[in-house]
Amino acid sequence: MALLLCGVAKGNLCSEIMGGCDPQCGARCEAAHPGGQSSCDAATSMCKCFYQCGQPIAPPPAPGKRCNVGLGPCSAACYDDCCNKKCAERYPGDLGGYGYCYSAIGPIRYITCMCYFRCQD
């Protein structure tokens, strides 16, 4: 059973729990939501898939390059919804900014707000 969480931020980003964190996390996300971005949630050890709400099938990529930037650490006070809102406000409208908290697992575990947006030429 998948849990669907829809954001209310301007970026209109939704997330879905796709099972436990494992090497197939990204493949499950891509299969369920083409163009979606996956992340392992360090707090729950669950695979989360982030995608644009209201678009069960990803739209064709917009012309131009996609860029990303870190907007600082995530915390209990500012997690996925907060990160998405900050990104949507920083890269509004045609820039299509959306964000989520990305957990990197390695020698040092960190969680950062990753923001994706359409690059300006």
Side-chain angles (χ1 to χ4, degrees):
M1 172 186 278
L3 175 64
L4 181 64
L5 305 168
C6 279
V8 293
K10 293 177 185 176
N12 204 23
L13 187 68
C14 286
S15 65
E16 182 176 351
I17 303 296
M18 304 297 292
C21 289
D22 60 33
Q24 289 76 38
C25 175
R28 288 193 306 270
C29 177
E30 180 66 27
H33 303 285
Q37 300 284 326
S38 64
S39 173
C40 283
D41 187 324
T44 63
S45 295
M46 299 301 286
C47 172
K48 291 176 87 175
C49 181
F50 297 88
Y51 59 95
Q52 294 297 312
C53 297
Q55 296 176 347
I57 298 175
K65 193 167 104 176
R66 296 293 293 177
C67 292
N68 64 64
V69 65
L71 294 183
C74 291
S75 67
C78 184
Y79 212 68
D80 288 329
D81 288 342
C82 173
C83 173
N84 186 44
K85 183 178 181 205
K86 285 195 307 189
C87 185
E89 288 172 352
R90 188 173 207 172
Y91 301 99
D94 290 341
L95 295 176
Y98 66 94
Y100 61 90
C101 292
Y102 176 78
S103 174
I105 300 172
I108 298 173
R109 178 180 269 185
Y110 63 94
I111 304 172
T112 188
C113 176
M114 288 301 297
C115 182
Y116 295 85
F117 59 96
R118 197 167 296 112
C119 299
Q120 295 180 344
D121 294 328

